[in-house]
Amino acid sequence: MQQTHAGTLKHEQPAARRSISFGSIFTYACLILWSLTTIYPLFWIVNNSFKLSRDVMNNSFAIAFKPVWDNYTNAFDRIDIGKSYVNSLIMSFSVVTLVLVLGGLAAYIMARFHFRGKTIVQSILVATLLIPAFATVVPVYELLIKWKLVNTYWGLILPQTAGNLTFAILVIAAYMATIPKDLEEAAFIDGCNRFSMFTKVFLPISRPVFASASIFVFLWSYNDLFSALIFVNKENVRPIVALLNEISSQYGTDFGLMASAVSLTVIPVLIVYLFIQRFIEKGMTEGAIKG
C-alpha cells in the first residue's frame, strides 16, 4: 500500500508541476502583453523625440539610430520648458503638502472622534466626489478674481487643494479607523494629548496611506490641464501641461519638438513615482501594527 501511494505521488507531482508551469507562463504572457500597451507608446514618444519633424511624419515607427538632440535644446530655448517645470513642481508639491496636512488632521477627527452630525459630514464628503470639476469653475473663478489670485501660484494651488482634499480625507480616515484602540489608550496613559497622539502614534503608523495619497494628489495636480488653462494662463506662472497645449499652436507641425516636450514631461514623473513606490513599501513594513 505504501509503495502504491508513493508511486501515485510520483505520478501526480510532474502533472502538478506542468500545470503550475503552464499557469505561470500564461500569467506572465498576459502581463507582458498588457505592459506593452503602456511601454510601447512611451517608447514611441521618446524615439520620435530624437527625429526631425519630417522624419516623424514620413516614418514615425522607425527607430532613431542617429538621434538628433535639437528638439531638446529647442524645448529649453524656444519654449522655456524649464520655467514651466519649476511652476509645475512648486504648485504640485504645495498642493500635496496642504492636502496631507489638512486632510490628515480632518481624517484623524473623522476616524477617532464621535460628534453630532458625523454621519452627515461623511455623506457630504462622499457626495462632493460626484460633482464634476467644470461645474464649479465659474464660482471658483469669481472668488479668485475677488481675491486677486488669478494668474498666481495660489490661483491654482487653492482650487486643486480643495478638489483633492475630500479624497485624502476619506482614504486616510478609512486607514486610521483600523488602528487598534489599545494604542490610543496606551498613549493617553503615557500623557499624550490629542495632537501629540496624532503626530507620535497615528502619523507614523499611517505612513503607507499618506504615501499613497501623495502619489495620487501629485499626479492629479501635475496633470490638471483643465484648471491650468483657466486659472493660470500667463507664461510666468504657466505649468508644463498648459505649455504642451500651446506648442502646436505656436510652432505649427513641429512634431519632433512636441515629442521631446512630452518626453520631458512624462519621464520625470515616472522617476518620481518609482522612488515614492519604494517609500510606500518601506512604510508598510515599518508601520505595521504588531500584536
Side-chain angles (χ1 to χ4, degrees), residues 7-26:
T8 304
L9 290 176
K10 290 180 181 180
H11 288 292
E12 289 178 352
Q13 287 178 355
R17 291 196 187 99
R18 283 196 298 269
S19 62
I20 294 173
S21 178
F22 175 77
S24 300
I25 293 173
F26 179 77

Side-chain angles (χ1 to χ4, degrees), residues 59-174:
N59 191 359
S60 62
F61 295 98
I63 298 177
F65 290 106
K66 296 180 179 180
V68 178
W69 294 93
D70 294 341
N71 294 323
Y72 286 93
T73 57
N74 291 334
F76 286 94
D77 296 336
R78 290 170 57 183
I79 62 177
D80 196 12
I81 198 172
K83 177 61 176 177
S84 297
Y85 257 131
V86 174
N87 293 336
S88 293
L89 294 179
I90 290 175
M91 295 178 187
S92 297
F93 280 113
S94 299
V95 170
V96 171
T97 302
L98 289 175
V99 168
L100 292 184
V101 172
L102 300 177
L105 293 172
Y108 173 59
I109 295 174
M110 296 297 298
R112 312 305 295 193
F113 287 75
H114 298 282
F115 53 89
R116 183 178 300 178
K118 178 179 178 179
T119 305
I120 298 176
V121 174
Q122 289 177 336
S123 301
I124 293 175
L125 289 175
V126 175
T128 56
L129 295 176
L130 306 177
I131 302 175
F134 61 83
T136 61
V137 168
V138 174
V140 170
Y141 193 72
E142 289 181 352
L143 286 175
L144 294 179
I145 292 176
K146 183 178 179 180
W147 297 337
K148 298 180 180 181
L149 296 177
V150 178
N151 292 321
T152 64
Y153 287 145
W154 288 106
L156 190 61
I157 291 173
L158 292 179
Q160 287 185 349
T161 300
N164 293 307
L165 196 57
T166 300
F167 165 79
I169 292 174
L170 294 176
V171 171
I172 298 174

